Amino acid sequence: MKKITTKWVFIIMAFFMLTSCDKDQEMAYYLDGIWHGTIRDSRDMYDVTMEFIQSGMFSSSGYGYEKDCSWSGHVSRVRFDWTVGNRNIYLRYSDGTRFVMECDYFPKYARTGENFRGRIYDERSKADVADFLLTKIYLHDDRSNKQDSTVVVDNNNVELNQEEVK
């Protein structure tokens, strides 16, 4: 009887250990890296590269950089802070702008070459802003990638945010 009880205790402990990882932390872990794709609003389509840098391995937040290039040629690069909550990505920019990336689809492990898609809306007004489709092009923890993850965005012809210039 004691052997059966001990086995059940270990099985229950293993179950809780495997399911204890918070879903938002898991999503943040897989979000970490560089994503490239398109964002389409009502007026234009943008070629975008977004780098998400997780604060720590068990964190559900971090910071990142976004480079947008519209088809008309305008290029911008901005820094943002992000948090994952309820399987949504909350973006906060230094100018006070706050967006939510609501994912229609987020891959289970978000390996290089996998996509995630959804819509972006204004956090305060809930108004739709754009749709996005991004493909992971770089994993920060992938030792086979030889590039430096901080040299993500080509700064040629980029309008820098005034706070980044300081």
Side-chain angles (χ1 to χ4, degrees):
M1 181 72 172
K2 189 172 185 175
K3 285 184 180 181
I4 293 173
T5 305
T6 304
K7 285 182 182 178
W8 278 107
V9 168
F10 281 116
I11 290 171
I12 291 171
M13 285 175 48
F15 174 76
F16 283 115
M17 287 173 35
L18 292 174
T19 59
S20 65
C21 182
D22 180 270
K23 293 288 185 189
D24 292 336
Q25 289 172 334
E26 183 179 314
M27 184 176 177
Y29 175 79
Y30 290 121
L31 182 63
D32 186 72
I34 302 169
W35 298 80
H36 180 80
T38 56
I39 293 178
R40 181 179 307 138
D41 65 17
S42 61
R43 294 180 304 253
D44 210 345
M45 185 167 9
Y46 301 87
D47 183 50
V48 65
T49 301
M50 296 183 79
E51 179 176 18
F52 293 88
I53 302 164
Q54 189 180 19
S55 294
M57 193 164 172
F58 300 106
S59 174
S60 60
S61 63
Y63 66 97
Y65 299 94
E66 176 181 335
K67 177 188 171 189
D68 299 320
C69 179
S70 70
W71 299 116
S72 62
H74 178 77
V75 177
S76 65
R77 179 179 185 260
V78 294
R79 184 183 187 280
F80 59 87
D81 293 313
W82 60 270
T83 303
V84 175
N86 298 321
R87 306 285 292 168
N88 291 321
I89 304 162
Y90 295 84
L91 304 173
R92 294 175 306 282
Y93 296 86
S94 60
D95 68 355
T97 307
R98 301 170 74 97
F99 292 118
V100 178
M101 295 178 83
E102 183 179 71
C103 302
D104 294 337
Y105 172 76
F106 191 84
K108 184 170 182 167
Y109 299 111
R111 295 179 183 105
T112 302
E114 292 188 306
N115 300 316
F116 86 103
R117 67 178 180 271
R119 71 181 185 109
I120 300 171
Y121 63 88
D122 184 285
E123 184 178 2
R124 293 180 183 108
S125 70
K126 308 295 187 230
D128 279 339
V129 175
D131 294 320
F132 69 90
L133 174 62
L134 299 174
T135 302
K136 192 165 208 173
I137 60 171
Y138 182 81
L139 299 164
H140 285 142
D141 63 353
D142 185 354
R143 305 272 187 252
S144 66
N145 286 316
K146 302 297 184 210
Q147 73 182 24
D148 179 4
S149 68
T150 60
V151 184
V152 174
V153 178
D154 176 16
N155 287 325
N156 295 332
N157 302 318
V158 173
E159 293 177 14
L160 291 177
N161 183 329
Q162 288 301 318
E163 292 187 19
E164 288 184 355
V165 176
K166 294 178 186 174

